[in-house]
């Protein structure tokens, strides 16, 4: 959510096999191509892959292939439950996602963002950011060259 603007519904569908590598060289598959996770974020991904927990009565959550296992065997965590967990650690999902996507589409072409993150609306986001940037520039005179 914070780094790549991933929707919580997409995060909850991640499987253990979507995180590859070990400390130092870790990648996550959100879209068609894997994304490198550098430094501390890569280390956190490896820890998350190895320590999957869910409140269960009769079975161990580690038996599932889900990165975020759900309460029932064979299911992933619900979107609401994952959102609650993120909120509990201070991540406000909507604001975090918006900031991350805006940053990405300002840095990379929309097709690249879409392929790496699985974000099908990357082009729409890029257009919205471009319009917003243009309005800001017009209001502030950012590109005013002092001509007639």
């Amino acid at each position: 959510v914070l780094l790549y603007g991933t929707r919580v519904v997409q995060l909850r569908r991640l499987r253990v096999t979507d995180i590859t590598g070990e400390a130092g060289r870790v990648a996550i598959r959100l879209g068609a191509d894997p994304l490198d996770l550098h430094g501390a974020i890569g280390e956190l991904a490896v820890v998350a892959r190895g320590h999957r927990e869910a409140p269960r009565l009769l079975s161990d959550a580690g038996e599932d292939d889900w990165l975020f296992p759900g309460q029932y065997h064979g299911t992933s965590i619900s979107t609401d439950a994952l959102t609650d967990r993120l909120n509990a650690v201070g991540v406000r999902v909507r604001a975090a996602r918006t900031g991350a996507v805006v940053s990405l589409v300002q840095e990379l072409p929309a097709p690249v963002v879409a392929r790496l993150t699985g974000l099908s609306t990357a082009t729409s986001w890029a257009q919205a950011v471009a319009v917003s940037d243009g309005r800001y520039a017009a209001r502030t005179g950012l590109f005013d060259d002092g001509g007639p």
Side-chain angles (χ1 to χ4, degrees), residues 67-93:
L67 184 60
F68 301 106
Q71 188 173 359
Y72 302 104
H73 181 74
T75 64
S76 67
I77 192 170
S78 72
T79 301
D80 289 341
L82 186 52
T83 299
D84 290 345
R85 284 188 185 183
L86 290 168
N87 285 333
V89 295
V91 176
R92 301 297 173 245
V93 173

Side-chain angles (χ1 to χ4, degrees), residues 20-27 36-38:
T20 57
E22 295 300 326
R25 178 92 182 172
V26 181
D36 288 334
L37 299 175
H38 299 282

Side-chain angles (χ1 to χ4, degrees), residues 7 22 29 31 35 46 73 76 85 105 111 121-122 132 138 144-145:
R7 293 171 302 195
E22 295 300 326
R29 185 174 298 279
L35 285 160
V46 170
H73 181 74
S76 67
R85 284 188 185 183
V105 297
T121 58
S132 178
D144 187 6
D145 62 0

Side-chain angles (χ1 to χ4, degrees), residues 19-135:
I19 295 178
T20 57
E22 295 300 326
R25 178 92 182 172
V26 181
I28 187 168
R29 185 174 298 279
L30 298 171
D33 296 324
L35 285 160
D36 288 334
L37 299 175
H38 299 282
I41 194 75
E43 292 173 22
L44 284 172
V46 170
V47 169
R49 182 181 62 191
H51 295 84
R52 297 169 299 121
E53 298 177 8
R56 293 193 178 162
L57 185 60
L58 300 174
S59 67
D60 179 20
E63 297 172 359
D64 283 339
D65 188 36
W66 298 107
L67 184 60
F68 301 106
Q71 188 173 359
Y72 302 104
H73 181 74
T75 64
S76 67
I77 192 170
S78 72
T79 301
D80 289 341
L82 186 52
T83 299
D84 290 345
R85 284 188 185 183
L86 290 168
N87 285 333
V89 295
V91 176
R92 301 297 173 245
V93 173
R94 181 170 291 182
R97 181 172 182 273
T98 299
V101 172
V102 166
S103 180
L104 280 173
V105 297
Q106 286 176 327
E107 297 291 325
L108 298 168
V112 173
V113 172
R115 185 161 179 85
L116 292 174
T117 65
L119 182 64
S120 61
T121 58
T123 300
S124 298
W125 277 96
Q127 291 168 346
V129 168
V131 167
S132 178
D133 287 349
R135 287 183 186 149

